[in-house]
Amino acid sequence: MRKPAKIAPLRIRPGTVRDIPAIVSLIRALAKYERLTRYCKTNAKRLRRDGFGRRRFFETLICTRGGRPIGYAVYYFAYSTFGCTPVLFIEDILCCRRSAARAPAKPS
């Protein structure tokens, strides 16, 4: 009987400037999945400025398996004046199905 192949664990970590090409690719994959590619205006230069510049408008998390990015989340904080409380807004969250199955994520 064969032993099952060992699967590298998923890792979740904050995104960095070096992840921008992967983030662009994953955003486009999400747009394709949602059948919204004609509306996807994703641009590496603007992502760098808005997510990793002096004034950050969003944060990212990157999910990797074996060092390869397979998912991402883009989020930001807002404030509810009626609730008088901070709010976490998740803009996008995606993990490629074939790459994510079979192992729980481990925060890095």
Side-chain angles (χ1 to χ4, degrees), residues 56-73:
R56 291 179 154 206
F57 291 95
F58 64 89
E59 300 291 330
T60 59
L61 294 173
I62 301 295
C63 179
T64 63
R65 169 165 277 146
R68 185 175 147 251
I70 62 164
Y72 78 105

Side-chain angles (χ1 to χ4, degrees), residues 26-85:
L26 290 163
I27 290 170
R28 289 182 179 150
L30 178 59
K32 183 177 180 181
Y33 172 80
E34 296 286 345
R35 295 186 174 120
L36 297 171
T37 54
R38 66 183 173 273
Y39 301 110
C40 185
K41 308 290 188 226
T42 299
N43 171 310
K45 183 177 176 182
R46 291 178 76 180
L47 283 176
R48 179 185 308 269
R49 181 193 67 203
D50 297 341
F52 302 95
R54 286 192 338 204
R55 180 162 184 224
R56 291 179 154 206
F57 291 95
F58 64 89
E59 300 291 330
T60 59
L61 294 173
I62 301 295
C63 179
T64 63
R65 169 165 277 146
R68 185 175 147 251
I70 62 164
Y72 78 105
V74 170
Y75 66 95
Y76 58 90
F77 294 92
Y79 193 80
S80 169
T81 55
F82 283 15
C84 203
T85 185

Side-chain angles (χ1 to χ4, degrees), residues 6-13 63-70 99 103:
K6 190 164 187 164
I7 299 169
L10 295 175
R11 302 267 184 215
I12 298 172
R13 60 172 174 74
C63 179
T64 63
R65 169 165 277 146
R68 185 175 147 251
I70 62 164
S99 302

